[in-house]
Amino acid sequence: MDRIAIIGCGGSGKSTVARKLAQILDAPLTHLDAIYYDEQWSPLPQEEFAAQQEKLVTGERWIIEGNYASTLPIRLAAADTVIFLDLPAATCLWGITQRRWRYRGGQHHQDGVYDRITWNFVRYILGYRRTMRPRVRKLLREHGPHVRLITLTSRRQANQLITRVRREHQPRA
């Protein structure tokens, strides 16, 4: 697990899993939302966003979290591990509610959190498994047949993964 792409629906826990893994593995972490949006919530032009990811994936070790299906092939081509947080919509909606409570809205570059809840975002979450999941799976088949795919379908599974990685990477006495 040297080059890890973490993907999934908004509110699924990508940022949390990424932060914990980065700490355990001592790997550089990039939150794609922090690159894509500026301080005024304006998105980066698509070509520039893709170019920044092209640079990021040249590193020996990295963790990059964020969905962005249009540039997912860039990350898949270079990744050795993909963690796909495929959680139910209700869990993701609860996740964005907790995030709103914790951050009170806004963008937090240090945490990679983009906390802006709109009705379009809620509809995206509600339809993710029906519309985006098939697209993500197709991209995984086409651009990531070489990766170790870890699909997590609950917060419990995500916590178990963190515990297992922590145990595997503890310094031996």
Side-chain angles (χ1 to χ4, degrees), residues 46 66-75 124 132 135-136 139:
Q46 191 64 29
N67 224 27
Y68 298 97
S70 63
T71 57
L72 185 55
I74 295 167
R75 288 167 273 142
Y124 168 79
M132 281 304 296
R135 184 174 174 200
V136 167
L139 290 167

Side-chain angles (χ1 to χ4, degrees), residues 6-19:
I6 301 177
I7 58 177
C9 185
S12 64
K14 296 181 302 293
S15 295
T16 300
V17 169
R19 276 192 303 274

Side-chain angles (χ1 to χ4, degrees), residues 1-148:
M1 291 178 67
D2 289 319
R3 294 174 312 281
I4 305 167
I6 301 177
I7 58 177
C9 185
S12 64
K14 296 181 302 293
S15 295
T16 300
V17 169
R19 276 192 303 274
K20 289 177 180 180
L21 285 177
Q23 182 180 23
I24 294 165
L25 299 172
D26 192 30
L29 169 59
T30 301
H31 301 281
L32 290 179
D33 280 351
I35 293 174
Y36 189 66
Y37 294 104
D38 67 16
E39 298 295 328
Q40 287 73 43
W41 307 82
S42 300
L44 200 60
Q46 191 64 29
E47 306 77 37
E48 197 174 327
F49 185 53
Q52 286 202 24
Q53 289 179 67
E54 292 280 0
K55 281 187 225 168
L56 286 170
V57 300
T58 62
E60 277 187 48
R61 298 182 69 235
W62 46 261
I63 297 173
I64 301 173
E65 73 85 8
N67 224 27
Y68 298 97
S70 63
T71 57
L72 185 55
I74 295 167
R75 288 167 273 142
L76 292 177
D80 59 38
T81 305
V82 172
I83 299 172
F84 181 21
L85 292 159
D86 187 16
L87 279 64
T91 304
C92 295
L93 289 171
W94 178 244
I96 65 168
T97 302
Q98 289 178 306
R99 183 167 65 203
R100 170 52 57 103
W101 180 257
R102 188 176 311 119
Y103 292 99
R104 303 280 195 260
Q107 185 173 0
H108 306 273
H109 280 278
Q110 70 277 11
D111 295 336
V113 172
Y114 178 74
D115 183 28
R116 185 175 187 196
I117 300 173
T118 64
W119 284 114
N120 281 341
F121 187 46
V122 170
R123 280 194 294 275
Y124 168 79
I125 290 170
L126 290 171
Y128 184 88
R129 281 185 150 180
R130 187 180 67 259
T131 58
M132 281 304 296
R133 178 171 59 176
R135 184 174 174 200
V136 167
R137 286 189 172 158
K138 183 175 187 273
L139 290 167
L140 282 163
R141 281 191 307 277
E142 292 173 356
H143 302 279
H146 60 282
V147 303
R148 174 183 177 208

